[in-house]
Amino acid sequence: MASPAEELQTHFREVMAGVATPVSVVTAISGGLPHGTTVSAFASLSMNPPMVLVALDRGSELLTRVRECGRFGINVLGSTQSALALGFAKKGGTGKFDGVHWELHDDLPRLPGAPGWLACEVTSLVDGGDHVVALGTVVAAETFDGRPLTYHGRVFGTHAHLEESA
């Protein structure tokens, strides 16, 4: 029999599975080597100044690198990049970049083909349960054509416009 806390966690997980989120790969560089991980907890925070927030697992290697360098990049993935999302969701340190084309932009690892790119300087790191929320001031931003990669109901998808009714 599950405890009330376990039941709440199960119900919370189900509710969150019903929330469509953007899929991004957050990157950092340390000792000249690229590091990255897939996240779905990413959002805009402020327009003036431009800021974002991203949640990183407290035990993640990437969080250690972000703490070291004080910067992170956000590659907002497109609908054709689910394989990248899966590859960066696994453990593996710099090995996640094996066979993956990347470029250094704004002194951060960037994945070409991602419809959105943000380079950020860490403003603060805020503890939040088993994650740490990195607040970042955006220092560079670029967009390219492409439909977004989303995560909803534990599967990847993309956004589609609703038809307007008369």
Side-chain angles (χ1 to χ4, degrees), residues 3-30:
S3 72
E6 291 169 329
E7 282 188 33
L8 176 59
Q9 191 174 51
T10 298
H11 292 299
F12 175 69
R13 186 176 289 119
E14 290 304 312
V15 169
M16 295 313 298
V19 177
T21 61
V23 181
S24 303
V25 172
V26 177
T27 58
I29 198 140
S30 177

Side-chain angles (χ1 to χ4, degrees), residues 49-111:
M51 292 181 72
V52 296
L53 60 87
V54 63
L56 300 171
D57 187 285
R58 183 175 300 284
S60 77
E61 186 176 328
L62 182 65
L63 178 58
T64 301
R65 303 301 170 241
V66 167
R67 286 184 195 277
E68 286 173 1
C69 68
R71 304 183 82 228
F72 60 91
I74 299 179
N75 298 269
V76 183
L77 299 184
S79 61
T80 63
Q81 296 179 306
S82 59
L84 273 177
L86 288 171
F88 279 93
K90 299 175 183 173
K91 303 268 185 223
T94 59
K96 294 179 186 182
F97 281 87
D98 290 348
V100 173
H101 178 68
W102 63 280
E103 300 170 350
L104 200 58
H105 274 253
D106 308 296
D107 295 322
L108 291 163
R110 180 176 179 177
L111 303 172

Side-chain angles (χ1 to χ4, degrees), residues 45 49-53 70-72 118-124 134-140:
L45 176 63
M51 292 181 72
V52 296
L53 60 87
R71 304 183 82 228
F72 60 91
L118 300 170
C120 305
E121 292 181 358
V122 174
T123 303
S124 68
L135 305 180
T137 300
V138 176
V139 296

Side-chain angles (χ1 to χ4, degrees), residues 36-51:
T37 196
T38 300
V39 301
S40 59
F42 151 69
S44 64
L45 176 63
S46 168
M47 289 300 290
N48 189 18
M51 292 181 72

